[in-house]
Amino acid sequence: MRRKPMALLNLVYREQLFPAAPTGAPFEALLAGDGEKQACRTIVGLLALAHDRACEAELAEAIDAELDAGRLPDLETLSRRFAPHRPAIPDITIEVASLRLYDELSTVQLVGVA
C-alpha cells in the first residue's frame, strides 16, 4: 500500500483497515476535500503511522476529533504528535588514569611462581 496508495480506492476490505474506527468517514472526507490521490496518500500514511507507532486507538480518536472539529486529518501534524519521544542523552565524564599506574603494574612480581 505504501508504494501504490491509489490501490486503496478499489480495495475490497478498506473498511477493516482501521479496527478502532471506520475508515469510511475520514476517507470520504479526505476524498471530498483533497481529491483521490491526496486522500489515498494520507490514509495510507495514517495506516503506516498506526502500525509503526502501535497507536491505532489513539490515532483513531485524534482523527475523529479532527473531523468533529470540521478539519481534515493532517498526516504531518499527526506524525509529529505520535512521534517517538527521544530520551535525553546523559553527560558522561571519563577520567583518564595516569600512565604512571600502568608502569607500577608492570613491575609487580608474583611470589611463589616457578
Side-chain angles (χ1 to χ4, degrees), residues 91-106:
D91 290 331
I92 299 174
T93 304
I94 300 174
E95 293 184 23
V96 180
S98 170
L99 293 177
R100 185 180 71 236
L101 295 174
Y102 292 106
D103 291 338
E104 289 176 20
L105 284 174
S106 67

Side-chain angles (χ1 to χ4, degrees), residues 31-99:
L31 280 174
D34 290 342
E36 291 179 350
K37 192 172 188 176
Q38 188 59 39
C40 289
R41 284 184 181 171
T42 301
I43 289 293
V44 169
L46 292 172
L47 290 170
L49 179 64
H51 175 267
D52 294 344
R53 302 283 180 246
C55 60
E56 293 175 5
E58 296 89 358
L59 182 60
E61 288 174 10
I63 292 171
D64 287 342
E66 289 293 311
L67 291 174
D68 290 343
R71 296 184 300 263
L72 294 176
D74 182 41
L75 180 58
E76 289 181 31
T77 303
L78 292 170
S79 294
R80 281 192 304 271
R81 178 175 172 183
F82 291 100
H85 300 287
R86 294 185 179 199
I89 298 174
D91 290 331
I92 299 174
T93 304
I94 300 174
E95 293 184 23
V96 180
S98 170
L99 293 177

